[in-house]
mmCIF file of all heavy atoms in Angstrom:
data_model
loop_
_atom_site.group_PDB
_atom_site.id
_atom_site.type_symbol
_atom_site.label_atom_id
_atom_site.label_comp_id
_atom_site.label_asym_id
_atom_site.label_seq_id
_atom_site.Cartn_x
_atom_site.Cartn_y
_atom_site.Cartn_z
ATOM 1 N N TYR A 12 54.928 168.985 135.332
ATOM 2 C CA TYR A 12 54.574 168.867 136.799
ATOM 3 C C TYR A 12 55.595 168.087 137.515
ATOM 4 O O TYR A 12 55.752 166.857 137.041
ATOM 5 C CB TYR A 12 53.267 168.251 136.899
ATOM 6 C CG TYR A 12 52.745 168.099 138.184
ATOM 7 C CD1 TYR A 12 52.035 169.254 138.884
ATOM 8 C CD2 TYR A 12 52.780 166.932 138.992
ATOM 9 C CE1 TYR A 12 51.523 169.039 140.189
ATOM 10 C CE2 TYR A 12 52.409 166.815 140.254
ATOM 11 C CZ TYR A 12 51.734 167.911 140.894
ATOM 12 O OH TYR A 12 51.239 167.710 142.221
ATOM 13 N N GLY A 13 56.267 168.622 138.303
ATOM 14 C CA GLY A 13 57.410 167.846 139.094
ATOM 15 C C GLY A 13 58.342 168.798 139.787
ATOM 16 O O GLY A 13 57.924 169.884 140.261
ATOM 17 N N PHE A 14 59.631 168.445 139.777
ATOM 18 C CA PHE A 14 60.613 169.209 140.208
ATOM 19 C C PHE A 14 61.835 169.183 139.355
ATOM 20 O O PHE A 14 62.083 168.213 138.527
ATOM 21 C CB PHE A 14 61.040 168.917 141.885
ATOM 22 C CG PHE A 14 61.518 167.582 142.013
ATOM 23 C CD1 PHE A 14 62.909 167.270 141.999
ATOM 24 C CD2 PHE A 14 60.571 166.520 142.134
ATOM 25 C CE1 PHE A 14 63.405 165.969 142.217
ATOM 26 C CE2 PHE A 14 61.074 165.160 142.386
ATOM 27 C CZ PHE A 14 62.439 164.907 142.437
ATOM 28 N N THR A 15 62.597 170.218 139.296
ATOM 29 C CA THR A 15 63.678 170.415 138.325
ATOM 30 C C THR A 15 65.098 170.091 138.852
ATOM 31 O O THR A 15 65.902 169.903 138.046
ATOM 32 C CB THR A 15 63.693 171.836 137.801
ATOM 33 O OG1 THR A 15 64.000 172.709 138.878
ATOM 34 C CG2 THR A 15 62.362 172.163 137.115
ATOM 35 N N SER A 16 65.348 169.884 140.149
ATOM 36 C CA SER A 16 66.551 169.605 140.713
ATOM 37 C C SER A 16 66.760 168.069 140.870
ATOM 38 O O SER A 16 66.093 167.321 140.503
ATOM 39 C CB SER A 16 66.768 170.409 142.112
ATOM 40 O OG SER A 16 65.865 169.844 142.995
ATOM 41 N N GLY A 17 67.825 167.795 141.637
ATOM 42 C CA GLY A 17 68.161 166.468 141.958
ATOM 43 C C GLY A 17 67.566 165.958 143.168
ATOM 44 O O GLY A 17 66.422 165.662 143.244
ATOM 45 N N HIS A 18 68.311 165.787 144.238
ATOM 46 C CA HIS A 18 67.888 165.282 145.563
ATOM 47 C C HIS A 18 66.659 166.161 145.991
ATOM 48 O O HIS A 18 66.681 167.459 145.806
ATOM 49 C CB HIS A 18 68.983 165.592 146.584
ATOM 50 C CG HIS A 18 70.061 164.743 146.570
ATOM 51 N ND1 HIS A 18 71.121 164.989 145.682
ATOM 52 C CD2 HIS A 18 70.545 163.501 147.083
ATOM 53 C CE1 HIS A 18 72.117 164.026 145.547
ATOM 54 N NE2 HIS A 18 71.727 163.247 146.532
ATOM 55 N N TYR A 19 65.676 165.523 146.543
ATOM 56 C CA TYR A 19 64.451 166.267 146.905
ATOM 57 C C TYR A 19 64.175 165.948 148.388
ATOM 58 O O TYR A 19 64.485 164.856 148.871
ATOM 59 C CB TYR A 19 63.297 165.843 146.081
ATOM 60 C CG TYR A 19 62.311 167.169 145.776
ATOM 61 C CD1 TYR A 19 62.953 168.275 145.261
ATOM 62 C CD2 TYR A 19 61.025 167.270 146.270
ATOM 63 C CE1 TYR A 19 62.184 169.377 144.942
ATOM 64 C CE2 TYR A 19 60.297 168.373 145.974
ATOM 65 C CZ TYR A 19 60.827 169.491 145.422
ATOM 66 O OH TYR A 19 60.113 170.535 145.254
ATOM 67 N N ALA A 20 63.658 166.931 149.134
ATOM 68 C CA ALA A 20 63.478 166.903 150.515
ATOM 69 C C ALA A 20 62.352 165.925 151.097
ATOM 70 O O ALA A 20 62.508 165.149 152.106
ATOM 71 C CB ALA A 20 63.305 168.172 151.086
ATOM 72 N N ASN A 21 61.264 165.922 150.347
ATOM 73 C CA ASN A 21 60.086 165.235 150.934
ATOM 74 C C ASN A 21 59.234 164.677 149.891
ATOM 75 O O ASN A 21 59.107 165.326 148.814
ATOM 76 C CB ASN A 21 59.312 166.191 151.765
ATOM 77 C CG ASN A 21 58.193 165.594 152.535
ATOM 78 O OD1 ASN A 21 58.057 164.380 152.730
ATOM 79 N ND2 ASN A 21 57.144 166.399 152.922
ATOM 80 N N TYR A 22 58.633 163.472 150.104
ATOM 81 C CA TYR A 22 57.828 162.803 148.894
ATOM 82 C C TYR A 22 56.425 162.774 149.323
ATOM 83 O O TYR A 22 55.563 162.184 148.544
ATOM 84 C CB TYR A 22 58.401 161.353 148.790
ATOM 85 C CG TYR A 22 59.840 161.256 148.164
ATOM 86 C CD1 TYR A 22 60.485 159.989 148.069
ATOM 87 C CD2 TYR A 22 60.481 162.421 147.554
ATOM 88 C CE1 TYR A 22 61.729 159.985 147.451
ATOM 89 C CE2 TYR A 22 61.699 162.372 147.034
ATOM 90 C CZ TYR A 22 62.401 161.119 146.973
ATOM 91 O OH TYR A 22 63.564 161.057 146.467
ATOM 92 N N PHE A 23 55.949 163.370 150.508
ATOM 93 C CA PHE A 23 54.452 163.428 150.696
ATOM 94 C C PHE A 23 54.139 164.875 150.752
ATOM 95 O O PHE A 23 54.639 165.754 151.557
ATOM 96 C CB PHE A 23 54.246 162.811 152.085
ATOM 97 C CG PHE A 23 54.368 161.274 152.020
ATOM 98 C CD1 PHE A 23 55.588 160.646 152.285
ATOM 99 C CD2 PHE A 23 53.172 160.521 151.824
ATOM 100 C CE1 PHE A 23 55.623 159.296 152.373
ATOM 101 C CE2 PHE A 23 53.245 159.081 151.709
ATOM 102 C CZ PHE A 23 54.591 158.439 152.000
ATOM 103 N N ASN A 24 53.072 165.327 150.036
ATOM 104 C CA ASN A 24 52.462 166.596 150.145
ATOM 105 C C ASN A 24 53.491 167.688 150.102
ATOM 106 O O ASN A 24 53.647 168.626 151.032
ATOM 107 C CB ASN A 24 51.511 166.686 151.378
ATOM 108 C CG ASN A 24 50.494 165.655 151.560
ATOM 109 O OD1 ASN A 24 49.859 165.274 150.682
ATOM 110 N ND2 ASN A 24 50.582 164.927 152.637
ATOM 111 N N THR A 25 54.326 167.658 149.016
ATOM 112 C CA THR A 25 55.517 168.621 148.995
ATOM 113 C C THR A 25 55.228 169.660 147.956
ATOM 114 O O THR A 25 54.290 169.693 147.175
ATOM 115 C CB THR A 25 56.709 167.798 148.593
ATOM 116 O OG1 THR A 25 57.911 168.595 148.870
ATOM 117 C CG2 THR A 25 56.638 167.226 147.186
ATOM 118 N N MET A 26 55.953 170.653 147.897
ATOM 119 C CA MET A 26 55.863 171.786 146.929
ATOM 120 C C MET A 26 56.681 171.195 145.560
ATOM 121 O O MET A 26 57.698 170.805 145.561
ATOM 122 C CB MET A 26 56.564 172.943 147.479
ATOM 123 C CG MET A 26 55.936 173.566 148.611
ATOM 124 S SD MET A 26 54.129 173.788 148.466
ATOM 125 C CE MET A 26 54.139 175.043 147.105
ATOM 126 N N LEU A 27 55.818 171.415 144.424
ATOM 127 C CA LEU A 27 56.275 171.099 143.075
ATOM 128 C C LEU A 27 56.120 172.239 142.203
ATOM 129 O O LEU A 27 55.576 173.276 142.732
ATOM 130 C CB LEU A 27 55.525 169.822 142.615
ATOM 131 C CG LEU A 27 55.770 168.550 143.417
ATOM 132 C CD1 LEU A 27 54.993 167.289 142.841
ATOM 133 C CD2 LEU A 27 57.337 168.116 143.523
ATOM 134 N N ASP A 28 56.558 171.998 141.034
ATOM 135 C CA ASP A 28 56.482 173.014 139.952
ATOM 136 C C ASP A 28 55.485 172.523 138.940
ATOM 137 O O ASP A 28 55.624 171.489 138.388
ATOM 138 C CB ASP A 28 57.913 173.191 139.324
ATOM 139 C CG ASP A 28 57.995 174.154 138.163
ATOM 140 O OD1 ASP A 28 56.975 174.194 137.335
ATOM 141 O OD2 ASP A 28 59.003 174.829 138.005
ATOM 142 N N HIS A 29 54.536 173.420 138.640
ATOM 143 C CA HIS A 29 53.535 173.238 137.560
ATOM 144 C C HIS A 29 53.654 174.377 136.450
ATOM 145 O O HIS A 29 53.225 175.513 136.815
ATOM 146 C CB HIS A 29 52.214 173.121 138.001
ATOM 147 C CG HIS A 29 51.190 172.621 136.887
ATOM 148 N ND1 HIS A 29 49.780 172.930 136.953
ATOM 149 C CD2 HIS A 29 51.274 171.956 135.863
ATOM 150 C CE1 HIS A 29 49.283 172.441 135.850
ATOM 151 N NE2 HIS A 29 50.129 171.826 135.126
ATOM 152 N N ASN A 30 54.428 174.013 135.428
ATOM 153 C CA ASN A 30 54.524 174.952 134.270
ATOM 154 C C ASN A 30 55.156 176.422 134.959
ATOM 155 O O ASN A 30 54.685 177.528 134.515
ATOM 156 C CB ASN A 30 53.299 175.237 133.709
ATOM 157 C CG ASN A 30 52.845 174.066 132.800
ATOM 158 O OD1 ASN A 30 53.642 173.181 132.492
ATOM 159 N ND2 ASN A 30 51.539 173.986 132.561
ATOM 160 N N GLY A 31 56.025 176.263 135.986
ATOM 161 C CA GLY A 31 56.642 177.413 136.499
ATOM 162 C C GLY A 31 56.117 177.932 137.811
ATOM 163 O O GLY A 31 56.612 178.922 138.436
ATOM 164 N N GLU A 32 54.972 177.487 138.126
ATOM 165 C CA GLU A 32 54.266 178.001 139.391
ATOM 166 C C GLU A 32 54.340 176.954 140.486
ATOM 167 O O GLU A 32 54.241 175.668 140.196
ATOM 168 C CB GLU A 32 52.781 178.201 138.955
ATOM 169 C CG GLU A 32 52.525 179.199 138.005
ATOM 170 C CD GLU A 32 52.864 180.719 138.287
ATOM 171 O OE1 GLU A 32 52.962 180.864 139.713
ATOM 172 O OE2 GLU A 32 53.268 181.458 137.466
ATOM 173 N N ALA A 33 54.633 177.355 141.678
ATOM 174 C CA ALA A 33 54.716 176.485 142.738
ATOM 175 C C ALA A 33 53.330 176.041 143.233
ATOM 176 O O ALA A 33 52.392 176.802 143.373
ATOM 177 C CB ALA A 33 55.318 177.247 143.987
ATOM 178 N N VAL A 34 53.284 174.715 143.369
ATOM 179 C CA VAL A 34 52.014 174.078 143.738
ATOM 180 C C VAL A 34 52.373 172.900 144.925
ATOM 181 O O VAL A 34 53.479 172.488 144.988
ATOM 182 C CB VAL A 34 51.210 173.434 142.632
ATOM 183 C CG1 VAL A 34 50.762 174.555 141.752
ATOM 184 C CG2 VAL A 34 52.105 172.375 141.817
ATOM 185 N N ARG A 35 51.336 172.607 145.709
ATOM 186 C CA ARG A 35 51.497 171.533 146.637
ATOM 187 C C ARG A 35 51.028 170.370 146.049
ATOM 188 O O ARG A 35 49.826 170.192 145.541
ATOM 189 C CB ARG A 35 51.006 171.893 148.009
ATOM 190 C CG ARG A 35 51.378 170.817 149.067
ATOM 191 C CD ARG A 35 51.071 171.364 150.482
ATOM 192 N NE ARG A 35 52.040 172.522 150.877
ATOM 193 C CZ ARG A 35 53.169 172.300 151.206
ATOM 194 N NH1 ARG A 35 53.736 171.213 151.299
ATOM 195 N NH2 ARG A 35 53.746 173.453 151.673
ATOM 196 N N SER A 36 51.675 169.129 146.104
ATOM 197 C CA SER A 36 51.376 167.862 145.669
ATOM 198 C C SER A 36 50.326 167.275 146.566
ATOM 199 O O SER A 36 50.166 167.811 147.797
ATOM 200 C CB SER A 36 52.563 166.918 145.422
ATOM 201 O OG SER A 36 53.124 166.815 146.844
ATOM 202 N N LYS A 37 49.798 166.105 146.350
ATOM 203 C CA LYS A 37 48.745 165.428 147.014
ATOM 204 C C LYS A 37 49.068 164.049 147.298
ATOM 205 O O LYS A 37 49.330 163.337 146.335
ATOM 206 C CB LYS A 37 47.431 165.550 146.470
ATOM 207 C CG LYS A 37 46.203 164.943 147.211
ATOM 208 C CD LYS A 37 44.962 165.094 146.505
ATOM 209 C CE LYS A 37 43.829 164.497 147.357
ATOM 210 N NZ LYS A 37 42.376 164.635 146.632
ATOM 211 N N GLY A 38 49.402 163.667 148.523
ATOM 212 C CA GLY A 38 49.791 162.282 148.879
ATOM 213 C C GLY A 38 51.130 162.004 148.464
ATOM 214 O O GLY A 38 52.120 162.758 148.436
ATOM 215 N N PHE A 39 51.528 160.663 148.244
ATOM 216 C CA PHE A 39 52.809 160.217 147.797
ATOM 217 C C PHE A 39 53.085 160.563 146.491
ATOM 218 O O PHE A 39 52.329 160.444 145.638
ATOM 219 C CB PHE A 39 52.850 158.614 147.986
ATOM 220 C CG PHE A 39 54.195 158.092 147.795
ATOM 221 C CD1 PHE A 39 55.278 158.588 148.599
ATOM 222 C CD2 PHE A 39 54.476 157.201 146.858
ATOM 223 C CE1 PHE A 39 56.494 158.024 148.375
ATOM 224 C CE2 PHE A 39 55.666 156.673 146.754
ATOM 225 C CZ PHE A 39 56.789 157.044 147.371
ATOM 226 N N ILE A 40 54.371 161.072 146.257
ATOM 227 C CA ILE A 40 54.773 161.781 145.072
ATOM 228 C C ILE A 40 54.609 160.853 143.861
ATOM 229 O O ILE A 40 54.105 161.289 142.894
ATOM 230 C CB ILE A 40 56.238 162.362 145.299
ATOM 231 C CG1 ILE A 40 56.390 163.276 144.023
ATOM 232 C CG2 ILE A 40 57.210 161.186 145.383
ATOM 233 C CD1 ILE A 40 57.637 164.175 144.265
ATOM 234 N N THR A 41 54.958 159.462 143.892
ATOM 235 C CA THR A 41 54.888 158.650 142.766
ATOM 236 C C THR A 41 53.307 158.593 142.339
ATOM 237 O O THR A 41 53.009 158.582 141.164
ATOM 238 C CB THR A 41 55.542 157.354 143.004
ATOM 239 O OG1 THR A 41 56.846 157.509 143.492
ATOM 240 C CG2 THR A 41 55.461 156.421 141.749
ATOM 241 N N ASP A 42 52.538 158.384 143.304
ATOM 242 C CA ASP A 42 50.999 158.330 143.090
ATOM 243 C C ASP A 42 50.462 159.623 142.360
ATOM 244 O O ASP A 42 49.755 159.545 141.481
ATOM 245 C CB ASP A 42 50.215 157.987 144.317
ATOM 246 C CG ASP A 42 50.512 156.818 145.029
ATOM 247 O OD1 ASP A 42 51.104 155.828 144.360
ATOM 248 O OD2 ASP A 42 50.383 156.749 146.257
ATOM 249 N N ASP A 43 51.034 160.731 142.940
ATOM 250 C CA ASP A 43 50.681 162.001 142.460
ATOM 251 C C ASP A 43 51.098 162.354 140.913
ATOM 252 O O ASP A 43 50.304 162.859 140.245
ATOM 253 C CB ASP A 43 51.137 163.130 143.395
ATOM 254 C CG ASP A 43 50.439 164.545 143.062
ATOM 255 O OD1 ASP A 43 49.232 164.577 142.956
ATOM 256 O OD2 ASP A 43 51.343 165.477 142.860
ATOM 257 N N LEU A 44 52.232 162.054 140.728
ATOM 258 C CA LEU A 44 52.827 162.140 139.347
ATOM 259 C C LEU A 44 51.983 161.277 138.407
ATOM 260 O O LEU A 44 51.792 161.815 137.260
ATOM 261 C CB LEU A 44 54.384 161.790 139.362
ATOM 262 C CG LEU A 44 55.382 162.733 140.126
ATOM 263 C CD1 LEU A 44 56.636 162.079 140.236
ATOM 264 C CD2 LEU A 44 55.254 164.086 139.651
ATOM 265 N N THR A 45 51.747 160.102 138.893
ATOM 266 C CA THR A 45 50.894 159.242 137.976
ATOM 267 C C THR A 45 49.516 159.737 137.638
ATOM 268 O O THR A 45 49.013 159.763 136.518
ATOM 269 C CB THR A 45 50.837 157.742 138.558
ATOM 270 O OG1 THR A 45 52.191 157.335 138.904
ATOM 271 C CG2 THR A 45 50.031 156.927 137.590
ATOM 272 N N ASP A 46 48.999 160.456 138.668
ATOM 273 C CA ASP A 46 47.682 161.049 138.545
ATOM 274 C C ASP A 46 47.642 162.006 137.458
ATOM 275 O O ASP A 46 46.888 162.190 136.568
ATOM 276 C CB ASP A 46 47.128 161.730 139.839
ATOM 277 C CG ASP A 46 46.782 160.734 140.970
ATOM 278 O OD1 ASP A 46 46.541 159.527 140.540
ATOM 279 O OD2 ASP A 46 46.640 161.087 142.073
ATOM 280 N N LYS A 47 48.737 162.911 137.541
ATOM 281 C CA LYS A 47 48.918 163.986 136.626
ATOM 282 C C LYS A 47 49.213 163.503 135.132
ATOM 283 O O LYS A 47 48.679 163.969 134.250
ATOM 284 C CB LYS A 47 49.985 164.921 137.065
ATOM 285 C CG LYS A 47 49.723 165.597 138.317
ATOM 286 C CD LYS A 47 48.339 166.371 138.417
ATOM 287 C CE LYS A 47 48.201 167.165 139.566
ATOM 288 N NZ LYS A 47 48.054 166.308 140.930
ATOM 289 N N ALA A 48 49.984 162.419 135.039
ATOM 290 C CA ALA A 48 50.350 161.837 133.765
ATOM 291 C C ALA A 48 49.059 161.216 133.144
ATOM 292 O O ALA A 48 48.834 161.410 131.969
ATOM 293 C CB ALA A 48 51.354 160.775 133.851
ATOM 294 N N ILE A 49 48.284 160.472 133.973
ATOM 295 C CA ILE A 49 46.938 159.942 133.453
ATOM 296 C C ILE A 49 46.024 161.129 132.993
ATOM 297 O O ILE A 49 45.305 160.937 131.951
ATOM 298 C CB ILE A 49 46.314 159.023 134.571
ATOM 299 C CG1 ILE A 49 47.095 157.761 134.660
ATOM 300 C CG2 ILE A 49 44.883 158.708 134.123
ATOM 301 C CD1 ILE A 49 46.722 156.798 135.698
ATOM 302 N N GLY A 50 45.990 162.214 133.726
ATOM 303 C CA GLY A 50 45.190 163.190 133.304
ATOM 304 C C GLY A 50 45.703 163.837 132.001
ATOM 305 O O GLY A 50 44.823 164.128 131.179
ATOM 306 N N PHE A 51 46.919 163.875 131.823
ATOM 307 C CA PHE A 51 47.461 164.405 130.509
ATOM 308 C C PHE A 51 47.062 163.470 129.335
ATOM 309 O O PHE A 51 46.671 163.844 128.279
ATOM 310 C CB PHE A 51 48.882 164.488 130.603
ATOM 311 C CG PHE A 51 49.622 164.828 129.288
ATOM 312 C CD1 PHE A 51 49.754 166.159 128.873
ATOM 313 C CD2 PHE A 51 50.179 163.800 128.524
ATOM 314 C CE1 PHE A 51 50.426 166.438 127.651
ATOM 315 C CE2 PHE A 51 50.845 164.137 127.308
ATOM 316 C CZ PHE A 51 50.945 165.441 126.861
ATOM 317 N N ILE A 52 47.197 162.109 129.560
ATOM 318 C CA ILE A 52 46.749 161.123 128.515
ATOM 319 C C ILE A 52 45.249 161.267 128.239
ATOM 320 O O ILE A 52 44.906 161.323 127.071
ATOM 321 C CB ILE A 52 47.168 159.688 129.069
ATOM 322 C CG1 ILE A 52 48.648 159.517 129.044
ATOM 323 C CG2 ILE A 52 46.500 158.669 128.216
ATOM 324 C CD1 ILE A 52 49.162 158.338 129.863
ATOM 325 N N GLU A 53 44.467 161.405 129.279
ATOM 326 C CA GLU A 53 43.080 161.549 128.831
ATOM 327 C C GLU A 53 42.769 162.831 128.236
ATOM 328 O O GLU A 53 41.929 162.856 127.294
ATOM 329 C CB GLU A 53 42.304 161.545 130.212
ATOM 330 C CG GLU A 53 42.257 160.254 131.047
ATOM 331 C CD GLU A 53 41.540 160.309 132.357
ATOM 332 O OE1 GLU A 53 41.765 161.318 133.025
ATOM 333 O OE2 GLU A 53 40.919 159.349 132.828
ATOM 334 N N LYS A 54 43.418 163.992 128.572
ATOM 335 C CA LYS A 54 43.119 165.236 127.861
ATOM 336 C C LYS A 54 43.561 165.198 126.264
ATOM 337 O O LYS A 54 42.915 165.849 125.636
ATOM 338 C CB LYS A 54 43.955 166.254 128.656
ATOM 339 C CG LYS A 54 43.706 167.660 128.079
ATOM 340 C CD LYS A 54 44.368 168.760 128.972
ATOM 341 C CE LYS A 54 45.948 168.731 128.844
ATOM 342 N NZ LYS A 54 46.567 169.838 129.597
ATOM 343 N N ASN A 55 44.519 164.394 126.025
ATOM 344 C CA ASN A 55 45.153 164.315 124.669
ATOM 345 C C ASN A 55 44.781 163.016 124.079
ATOM 346 O O ASN A 55 45.492 162.759 123.005
ATOM 347 C CB ASN A 55 46.648 164.560 124.812
ATOM 348 C CG ASN A 55 46.871 165.998 125.256
ATOM 349 O OD1 ASN A 55 46.771 166.947 124.540
ATOM 350 N ND2 ASN A 55 47.493 166.131 126.482
ATOM 351 N N LYS A 56 43.918 162.317 124.386
ATOM 352 C CA LYS A 56 43.496 160.980 123.755
ATOM 353 C C LYS A 56 43.140 161.078 122.290
ATOM 354 O O LYS A 56 43.221 160.101 121.551
ATOM 355 C CB LYS A 56 42.416 160.356 124.472
ATOM 356 C CG LYS A 56 41.079 161.072 124.630
ATOM 357 C CD LYS A 56 40.083 160.295 125.479
ATOM 358 C CE LYS A 56 38.799 161.065 125.529
ATOM 359 N NZ LYS A 56 37.716 160.461 126.317
ATOM 360 N N GLU A 57 42.648 162.115 121.945
ATOM 361 C CA GLU A 57 42.280 162.393 120.462
ATOM 362 C C GLU A 57 43.397 162.819 119.470
ATOM 363 O O GLU A 57 43.020 163.025 118.315
ATOM 364 C CB GLU A 57 41.076 163.333 120.423
ATOM 365 C CG GLU A 57 39.898 162.887 121.213
ATOM 366 C CD GLU A 57 39.204 161.612 120.714
ATOM 367 O OE1 GLU A 57 39.463 161.330 119.634
ATOM 368 O OE2 GLU A 57 38.614 160.977 121.489
ATOM 369 N N LYS A 58 44.620 163.016 120.051
ATOM 370 C CA LYS A 58 45.628 163.436 119.271
ATOM 371 C C LYS A 58 46.924 162.728 119.716
ATOM 372 O O LYS A 58 46.944 162.173 120.813
ATOM 373 C CB LYS A 58 45.877 164.918 119.259
ATOM 374 C CG LYS A 58 45.937 165.519 120.736
ATOM 375 C CD LYS A 58 46.009 167.095 120.530
ATOM 376 C CE LYS A 58 46.024 167.677 121.924
ATOM 377 N NZ LYS A 58 45.946 169.184 121.827
#
């Protein structure tokens, strides 16, 4: 979940890549990336 290039245009409510599909982020990008990382940790806490 994120973007694959270098310079990016916008850090609020921008278009990102989720497993190859275009999705719109929510809020400020660093907060949003952290939300998704925490969700991943919660989902995989047993392994």
Side-chain angles (χ1 to χ4, degrees):
Y12 180 86
F14 59 94
T15 57
S16 65
H18 295 79
Y19 217 59
N21 185 20
Y22 292 168
F23 287 89
N24 303 311
T25 191
M26 296 305 297
L27 296 179
D28 176 322
H29 185 208
N30 295 334
E32 299 293 335
V34 296
R35 188 166 292 283
S36 66
K37 183 179 179 181
F39 185 58
I40 192 167
T41 306
D42 300 335
D43 186 54
L44 295 172
T45 305
D46 289 343
K47 300 302 188 294
I49 287 174
F51 173 83
I52 291 170
E53 289 176 325
K54 183 173 69 174
N55 294 285
K56 63 184 178 182
E57 300 296 338
K58 56 185 174 183

